[in-house]
Amino acid sequence: MQNRPNRVPDRTRVYAVGDLHGRSDLLAVMHERIQADLGQSPAERVVFVYIGDYIDRGEGSRDVVETLSSQAADGIERIFLRGNHEDMMLRFLDGGASIGTWMMNGGVATLRGYGVEWGENPSGRDGSEATRQNLLAALPPHHLAFLRGLAVSHVEGDYLFVHAGIRPGIDLDRQDPHDMIWIREEFLDSREEFGKVVVHGHTVSPVPVVLDNRIGIDTGAYKSDVLTCAVLEANTLRLLNT
């Protein structure tokens, strides 16, 4: 456990879960560990923040979305953030992006999970449109509603939760949602105080990155088998992992 100068609201415990990328097996393990943690030490208010990138690369993308979109009403507050991979998928579904970039970044696994084949002519207009229509038909309505309803950011006390990061030098209330989902080097290289400690994923590290201005929790679960969860309560930080 690490004591920090930053705090979450009183009587609140936050569990922030890192990038999943289709690892439904690790999600199940993490949920078991969180429940065991709560069993050992209950909290009055419990908030789960899922940091985004639920799909792609891993073969269980559909199962991850099913699990997250079907959570029971058990008194736990759940916040689901949009990652850049959900952003790519939605932009393709809305006809605003080519399928090529998404497929190059692991989208094939998501298509397979929904029983959709990537056409033989993926760069052609007809092939892409056929894939788009097939995926729209294959997506359960509650999956599509879940993906469209993902938040860009969330605040708990002195912490800001986003998928990728924020742009240094810009006030928090003026941040571009695109940066919060996609930014990398400009944010990662900055040592300035952002006004809140940013908890994020998006950039893989072998171990969680804990700095004064940010906490990175993407430990590359899809290939490392290590899914990380940051536990914030009062002025403390703990880490759970698989």
Side-chain angles (χ1 to χ4, degrees), residues 90-107:
L90 288 169
R91 286 192 292 142
F92 169 66
L93 288 174
D94 291 339
S98 166
I99 193 173
T101 301
W102 182 31
M103 293 300 100
M104 288 171 55
N105 285 278

Side-chain angles (χ1 to χ4, degrees), residues 5-236:
N6 319 101
R7 301 182 63 88
V8 296
D10 292 341
R11 299 181 295 280
T12 295
R13 186 181 303 161
V14 179
Y15 293 92
V17 180
D19 302 40
L20 286 154
H21 281 302
R23 291 301 302 266
S24 55
D25 55 338
L26 297 183
L27 177 60
V29 172
M30 183 57 74
H31 281 165
E32 290 175 358
R33 296 195 175 171
I34 291 173
Q35 290 303 325
D37 189 69
L38 284 168
Q40 292 176 358
S41 175
E44 182 173 326
R45 175 175 176 251
V46 178
V47 182
F48 288 8
V49 181
Y50 298 87
I51 215 76
D53 279 6
Y54 314 115
I55 62 169
D56 297 349
R57 298 194 172 119
E59 296 300 321
S61 296
R62 188 189 193 283
D63 293 338
V64 169
V65 175
E66 175 64 22
T67 296
L68 297 182
S69 63
S70 305
Q71 297 283 10
D74 53 8
I76 294 174
E77 299 176 37
R78 292 179 172 87
I79 308 297
F80 304 101
L81 300 182
R82 179 184 292 201
N84 61 303
H85 285 259
E86 290 79 43
D87 194 51
M88 283 188 283
M89 179 179 179
L90 288 169
R91 286 192 292 142
F92 169 66
L93 288 174
D94 291 339
S98 166
I99 193 173
T101 301
W102 182 31
M103 293 300 100
M104 288 171 55
N105 285 278
V108 173
T110 300
L111 288 183
R112 288 174 180 162
Y114 286 99
V116 175
E117 293 296 326
W118 185 18
E120 294 181 359
N121 183 27
S123 62
R125 182 177 303 171
D126 292 341
S128 291
E129 181 58 21
T131 302
R132 189 175 76 87
Q133 294 297 335
N134 290 338
L135 181 56
L136 282 169
L139 277 167
H142 66 288
H143 285 210
L144 186 56
F146 169 80
L147 293 167
R148 292 201 187 283
L150 297 173
V152 175
S153 64
H154 180 70
V155 171
E156 289 286 343
D158 297 326
Y159 292 89
L160 170 69
F161 300 83
V162 297
H163 175 65
I166 61 175
R167 186 165 297 278
I170 304 294
D171 292 343
L172 293 181
D173 60 358
R174 296 178 57 241
Q175 290 288 327
D176 186 338
H178 184 271
D179 284 334
M180 292 180 169
I181 297 170
W182 285 92
I183 199 169
R184 209 179 292 273
E185 283 79 12
E186 299 96 325
F187 166 68
L188 299 174
D189 293 341
S190 176
R191 294 297 178 263
E192 74 174 61
E193 294 184 5
F194 299 125
K196 293 188 182 294
V197 177
V198 179
V199 182
H200 67 95
H202 188 52
T203 299
V204 175
S205 176
V207 296
V209 177
V210 180
L211 301 174
D212 290 340
N213 63 348
R214 66 180 181 90
I215 300 171
I217 57 172
D218 182 1
T219 45
Y222 73 95
K223 61 180 178 181
S224 69
D225 296 330
V226 179
L227 176 64
T228 293
C229 174
V231 186
L232 297 162
E233 187 170 17
N235 66 334
T236 66

